């Protein structure tokens, strides 16, 4: 398997624009996680899905952030409108089963100017 | 809520042992993990330990868990320049089997 795939790897956008980050989990994994990494706050869990259903979105910063998982092989994290403070590296991870190892994608580095 | 603390920096010489420390607050933690992040990459699981264990060894890696003090350490023997990376301690609390709480990471620099 190619591992967790994220696109784009880098995104530079202007404040106010919509940003969509994409993730393809490892085939067969039933959990998918979105994290955000910043120097100030470290790694934060934003939201996670089980069998395509959002289970806990308490880490989503505000209504500007939304995530979907229309099928088992694809998820999106959308920010609309984007702000400079959203600049971070966003990671997607997937796992199989309860409490098992999470496999991380390479991340998307987002810069909002 | 749960909290995981780590020192931010560690510098060692090649060939020496590295010890990275971590403390956590959730006494119901079930699994504790060490992840490695190389520059520009995602996190990679290095090793993990169940909360009912006090030590786990895997080649050059030794994990020690002091559950009473809520202290976890990762020892890397014969540290190499390729071990230079950020190391994250993480835990899954007993109340949730899915959510990892990460420390802020320790930047390990290995000097030749």
């Amino acid at each position: 398997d190619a591992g967790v795939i994220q696109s784009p790897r880098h995104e530079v956008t202007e404040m106010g624009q919509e940003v969509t980050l994409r993730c393809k989990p490892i085939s067969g994994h039933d959990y998918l996680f979105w994290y955000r990494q910043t120097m100030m706050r470290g790694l934060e869990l934003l939201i996670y899905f089980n069998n395509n259903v959002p289970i806990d979105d308490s880490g989503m910063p505000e209504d500007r952030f939304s995530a979907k998982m229309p099928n088992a092989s694809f998820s999106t994290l959308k920010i609309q409108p984007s702000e400079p403070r959203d600049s971070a590296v966003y990671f997607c991870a997937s796992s199989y089963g309860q409490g098992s190892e999470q496999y991380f994608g390479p991340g998307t580095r987002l810069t909002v100017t | 809520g749960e909290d995981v603390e780590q020192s931010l920096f560690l510098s060692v010489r090649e060939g020496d042992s590295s010890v990275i420390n971590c403390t956590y607050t959730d006494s119901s933690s079930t699994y504790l993990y060490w992840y490695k992040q190389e520059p520009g990459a995602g996190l990679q699981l290095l090793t993990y330990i169940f909360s009912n264990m006090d030590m786990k060894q895997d080649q050059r890696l030794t994990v020690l868990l002091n559950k009473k003090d809520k202290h976890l350490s990762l020892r890397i023997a014969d540290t190499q320049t390729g071990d230079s990376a950020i190391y994250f301690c993480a835990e899954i609390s007993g109340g949730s089997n899915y959510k990892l709480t990460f420390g802020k990471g320790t930047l390990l620099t290995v000097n030749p």
Side-chain angles (χ1 to χ4, degrees):
Chain A
D1 199 307
V4 176
I5 299 172
Q6 291 187 248
S7 64
R9 292 295 310 277
H10 302 273
E11 175 81 36
V12 180
T13 190
E14 292 184 347
M15 182 174 66
Q17 297 298 304
E18 177 180 295
V19 174
T20 300
L21 311 182
R22 296 173 175 79
C23 174
K24 182 180 187 310
I26 292 173
S27 176
H29 282 190
D30 54 350
Y31 285 88
L32 184 139
F33 306 81
W34 281 102
Y35 291 90
R36 177 172 68 175
Q37 185 179 33
T38 60
M39 289 292 292
M40 291 297 294
R41 300 174 68 91
L43 262 168
E44 303 171 278
L45 177 65
L46 301 177
I47 184 171
Y48 77 91
F49 296 82
N50 176 219
N51 291 323
N52 314 339
V53 176
I55 303 299
D56 185 343
D57 65 354
S58 59
M60 295 286 261
E62 49 198 273
D63 292 345
R64 297 185 297 106
F65 285 69
S66 62
K68 294 182 179 178
M69 192 165 186
N71 57 62
S73 58
F74 184 64
S75 177
T76 60
L77 178 68
K78 187 175 291 187
I79 308 172
Q80 165 64 19
S82 58
E83 296 182 4
R85 60 193 168 117
D86 301 331
S87 296
V89 181
Y90 291 81
F91 289 102
C92 176
S94 70
S95 69
Y96 175 70
Q98 178 176 313
S100 60
E101 177 182 356
Q102 294 183 22
Y103 292 81
F104 281 74
T108 295
R109 181 174 294 278
L110 173 65
T111 303
V112 183
T113 61
Chain B
E2 301 87 3
D3 197 18
V4 178
E5 299 284 341
Q6 301 177 238
S7 53
L8 294 181
F9 303 99
L10 177 65
S11 181
V12 301
R13 292 175 65 173
E14 191 174 15
D16 288 351
S17 291
S18 306
V19 179
I20 303 171
N21 294 301
C22 168
T23 58
Y24 58 98
T25 57
D26 188 353
S27 56
S28 66
S29 294
T30 53
Y31 297 83
L32 295 122
Y33 300 82
W34 285 104
Y35 278 83
K36 177 182 180 183
Q37 184 181 29
E38 296 182 350
L43 278 70
Q44 176 189 10
L45 180 66
L46 276 182
T47 187
Y48 65 93
I49 189 168
F50 294 110
S51 58
N52 63 357
M53 299 170 63
D54 51 21
M55 187 181 89
K56 180 177 180 181
Q57 187 150 5
D58 184 2
Q59 299 182 341
R60 292 190 298 124
L61 305 178
T62 304
V63 178
L64 295 177
L65 175 61
N66 182 329
K67 197 172 181 182
K68 174 175 170 289
D69 294 338
K70 301 191 187 70
H71 181 267
L72 182 73
S73 68
L74 173 69
R75 179 177 180 270
I76 305 173
D78 187 24
T79 313
Q80 303 297 307
T81 54
D83 295 324
S84 293
I86 302 175
Y87 290 81
F88 291 90
C89 171
E91 60 97 20
I92 286 183
S93 72
S96 163
N97 285 317
Y98 318 111
K99 293 174 64 171
L100 281 171
T101 300
F102 286 88
K104 284 196 164 57
T106 299
L107 175 62
L108 173 65
T109 302
V110 182
N111 302 302

